[in-house]
Amino acid sequence: MLTNFSLNDSTQEEILKHLETTSKLLSKVATELSGTQKESMIYTMPDLGIAQNGTRMLGGFYTGACYSWDSDVPFVPVDATVNVCGTAIYRLKHKISVEEFKKRLDCVMKNRETYLRYATTHLPSQILDSIDLEREDKFYWNYNSGNHFAILAEQTEKGSELPAGQYMIVHASAIELKKDNLKYGLYPVEGNWYYDDIQTIYDEQENRYLRYICGKKAIQFYEIASMLQRINKDRNRYFCKAVLGELIGEEIINLSHYGMPTNNSVCIGCQWEQEDFTLLTAP
């Protein structure tokens, strides 16, 4: 079933057709595992849209939606390609020039020691032991890759809920638990800790499939996703403090918009933790 809060533009209307099948497949998996009829619900947001990840869309998952299901047996649809991503906003104590912000940003982004200091002092020991920090091509500050960013913004409008001033805004996910971490990473890549347990269910009529893991591996998956929410927020906070130093002021927002709010739901590109949120898509 779908609860549609999208704007129903032409792109979204096409996506909604695919999500009807995704919901049907989620219900089918839950029903077969539980031995009794179970349902799923997909909530689509106004910014429902094309995902950056092709694997995700082929598996039936798009950005700007929350996917939930009822099941007596835990399971996770792995092609939702769950990692945890989010945004953070910090107010600056006083204004700086764009040039100074870029200089501060470069000093952190291009300084390998700053990243290593974060990883060795803030990552849980089991995560630190599962990655090779000598691989600079795999583990690094990733605030300038994909659709991630770090920007300096300014609030000038009167009457806004945000005080006038400058703000640092970042958007990123913890690269330490993505496809290059085979021991704890949540992406469905060959050789990782759950890959051999992936099962597939088909909808022959729509020529579609849904891949999932269930049971103990699904429970472990959710536990890692929950831990990753804390890690990613801590990562964003550390990075912003490293860039701004003595200029960092109030933390306005530090939240997830991609991850697992519960053991039977996945949010992709929508927030669930607080009333204030960031809308990152243009009209």
Side-chain angles (χ1 to χ4, degrees):
M1 297 175 62
L2 297 185
T3 297
N4 182 19
F5 297 116
S6 77
L7 302 178
N8 296 305
D9 66 26
S10 57
T11 300
Q12 291 173 336
E13 287 180 353
E14 290 301 315
I15 293 174
L16 289 170
K17 297 174 186 177
H18 293 288
L19 293 185
E20 289 278 6
T21 303
T22 302
S23 178
K24 185 166 66 171
L25 285 167
L26 286 170
S27 299
K28 187 176 181 180
V29 171
T31 297
E32 290 191 4
L33 290 175
S34 303
T36 184
Q37 183 63 42
K38 297 292 183 179
E39 301 297 336
S40 67
M41 177 64 72
I42 299 176
Y43 301 87
T44 62
M45 300 295 113
D47 56 342
L48 175 70
I50 300 297
Q52 189 184 36
N53 187 312
T55 300
R56 189 184 301 160
M57 289 189 291
L58 287 171
F61 296 89
Y62 291 78
T63 298
C66 178
Y67 304 80
S68 64
W69 55 92
D70 179 27
S71 179
D72 295 334
V73 178
F75 79 92
V76 176
V78 296
D79 285 323
T81 55
V82 175
N83 186 34
V84 172
C85 190
T87 56
I89 302 175
Y90 290 89
R91 188 168 187 263
L92 274 66
K93 290 181 178 179
H94 62 77
K95 289 187 179 182
I96 59 174
S97 66
V98 173
E99 289 71 23
E100 182 179 349
F101 179 71
K102 288 181 177 179
K103 182 180 178 180
R104 286 172 174 264
L105 197 58
D106 282 346
C107 283
V108 176
M109 290 288 294
K110 296 179 180 180
N111 186 341
R112 181 69 181 167
E113 292 305 314
T114 305
Y115 172 76
L116 294 176
R117 195 177 306 121
Y118 155 74
T120 54
T121 60
H122 283 65
L123 288 177
S125 58
Q126 72 268 34
I127 303 301
L128 190 60
D129 292 342
S130 67
I131 59 178
D132 182 2
L133 287 179
E134 293 185 5
R135 293 294 305 268
E136 295 185 31
D137 59 326
K138 295 184 181 298
F139 303 106
Y140 51 88
W141 290 129
N142 57 332
Y143 290 86
N144 61 348
S145 62
N147 63 355
H148 297 167
F149 59 78
I151 64 174
L152 178 68
E154 186 168 356
Q155 173 61 269
T156 58
E157 294 182 11
K158 295 181 180 179
S160 169
E161 292 185 12
L162 281 179
Q166 288 181 325
Y167 296 83
M168 181 177 179
I169 308 175
V170 297
H171 168 226
S173 59
I175 201 168
E176 297 81 16
L177 283 98
K178 296 185 80 169
K179 62 184 179 180
D180 291 311
N181 186 333
L182 298 181
K183 189 173 181 180
Y184 291 101
L186 301 182
Y187 268 42
V189 294
E190 188 171 359
N192 81 354
W193 61 275
Y194 68 78
Y195 191 82
D196 291 340
D197 296 286
I198 293 176
Q199 302 182 53
T200 307
I201 195 167
Y202 296 93
D203 184 320
E204 303 291 352
Q205 183 177 355
E206 299 293 336
N207 195 27
R208 284 274 306 279
Y209 64 88
L210 188 141
R211 301 193 302 166
Y212 65 95
I213 55 175
C214 62
K216 292 182 179 179
K217 288 291 178 74
I219 294 172
Q220 183 179 353
F221 190 104
Y222 172 65
E223 289 174 347
I224 294 174
S226 297
M227 174 180 64
L228 190 45
Q229 287 185 45
R230 298 189 296 273
I231 290 175
N232 202 54
K233 290 176 184 179
D234 183 54
R235 192 179 194 270
N236 285 340
R237 185 177 295 114
Y238 186 98
F239 179 78
C240 291
K241 286 183 177 179
V243 172
L244 295 178
E246 77 285 355
L247 294 176
I248 196 164
E250 179 188 1
E251 180 179 281
I252 306 299
I253 276 176
N254 193 350
L255 51 75
S256 304
H257 63 198
Y258 171 25
M260 295 187 70
T262 65
N263 63 354
N264 61 344
S265 64
V266 173
C267 279
I268 305 176
C270 54
Q271 287 95 178
W272 65 89
E273 295 177 307
Q274 62 187 67
E275 291 184 4
D276 294 329
F277 60 90
T278 51
L279 182 64
L280 303 183
T281 50

